[in-house]
Amino acid sequence: MLQIVPDFRGEDVSHDVIATLIRDRKPGHMLPAGLYNRRDVFEADLDMIFHRHWIAVAVEADVPEPGDVYAVDIGRSSILIVRDEDEGIRAFHNVCSHRAARLVPAGHSIVGKLVCPYHQWAYDLTGELFSAPHMGVDFDMGLHHLKPVAVRNIGGLVYVCLSQDPPQDIETLAALMSERLEPYELKDAKVAFETDIVEKGNWKLVIENNRECYHCAANHPELCLSLFAADFGFDAVDLSPTERAEADALDAAYVRARALWDGAGLDHSAVEHWQGQATNFRTERLLIAGTGESQTPDSRAASRVPLGRMGNSGCGNIHLWGINSWNHVMADHAVVINIFPLSPGETLVRTKWLVHKDAVEGVDYDLDHLTSVWIATNQQDADLVAMSQEGVRSAGYTPGPYSVHTERLVDDWTTWYCERMTHHGYGG
Ligand code: 3BY
Ligand code: FES
Ligand code: FE
């Protein structure tokens, strides 16, 4: 007989499955396969992580002037960032208050006001509706403001939070990084180049891959000319005499550099913020390998015009990790990478290269010299992530162990993810 009773338990079943997967995660190991592969986990990640935490979406240089708009998709939601007439940065849902049309396309636009392409409702740059043709004289435009989104500009890096109750611990990140990034004056930078690549892997695999440099020596020949793999949660064990001598030399170089940084008032402490916290970040001032100047093929500065007040190149590289981002801020340029989940097995990796706004391409910097290291690195990481994703999809997958010597930071990240999902009602 035809069964016509609908199954209203779909969501509950899915919730219980996800909670079991979170509970099943073995500390020090990768996640159970379903957490990388399942569509319902992907949806839960969007709801619980991307819609409730502070997510890095833009740089101040994306909206340098009043009327500049930058729209970005976070999962199912499109957000627009706008520079208002008073030079403030605001964020709104990119959804018309009439019949929900998207106001602006993804990416950059320049507007005098925000006019919906559907029926021409018009909003000013503060999100106030000021024109709604044919809605009648009694229509109260004051009730149809664009829906605001919480936004923070932290030293030129723009974060949004879609929650009505955004995590307060963004203040820790804001206090630390506003000060650390202030001399770089990223407000006066420009986006010299931008790339989008779609990695064939779950967003959590993209981040796991980013949280270690175990794979760097074998996979990133270009990046390793300017970056020390030993900087990322690396415990110096099992070293050959040559490697031991290199490790000692790096330690000594850090002692000298930190003394110089202290003298110059350049904060360099390593700060890790994730245990029991909503806002996940790590930052440290790192030495640059080679000539010490920049992440370029010859480790020399890419731009002749330094960022902000960073006249000298001995100030290393401020690395900053977040929930969906990693950044390297150097004296001459900054690399800002934000990731956005597209599907269980696809992640958008967006990279921006920032230089001082007065730097002229072809005169002060060469685009290939500026961008080639991270273009190569991103492609190499995309290949590694895709290999891992193929593995976690396969019947042969068992969550493997992280190295306690070189993958501690991966374990910290995966643990944070499970804690947050538990906090939001999964697991426990
Ligand atoms: O750039 C990063 O943040 C990380 C660190 C180690 C490997 N990876 C490229
Ligand atoms: Fe925007 Fe109608 S949907 S004006
Ligand atoms: Fe890598």
Side-chain angles (χ1 to χ4, degrees), residues 251-292:
D251 286 347
Y254 264 107
V255 171
R256 288 192 299 275
R258 285 176 182 141
L260 288 174
W261 293 337
D262 283 334
L266 295 172
D267 184 18
H268 54 76
S269 56
V271 179
E272 291 177 5
H273 188 268
W274 41 64
Q275 255 193 331
Q277 307 288 345
T279 301
N280 175 325
F281 72 89
R282 183 186 199 283
T283 179
E284 186 175 6
R285 188 180 300 271
L286 301 173
L287 275 173
I288 296 171
T291 68

Side-chain angles (χ1 to χ4, degrees), residues 210 212-213 215-216 223 227 232 319 321 326 328 374 377 381:
N210 176 255
E212 47 91 357
C213 225
H215 69 269
C216 290
L223 183 66
L227 177 134
F232 299 92
H319 107 91
W321 287 343
W326 58 98
H328 296 277
W374 274 97
T377 303
D381 282 327

Side-chain angles (χ1 to χ4, degrees), residues 54 57 81 89-92 148-153 158-161 166:
W54 288 95
V57 290
I81 314 286
I89 292 181
R90 296 174 185 256
F92 302 102
V149 168
V151 62
R152 293 298 295 263
N153 173 12
V158 178
Y159 295 77
V160 297
C161 180

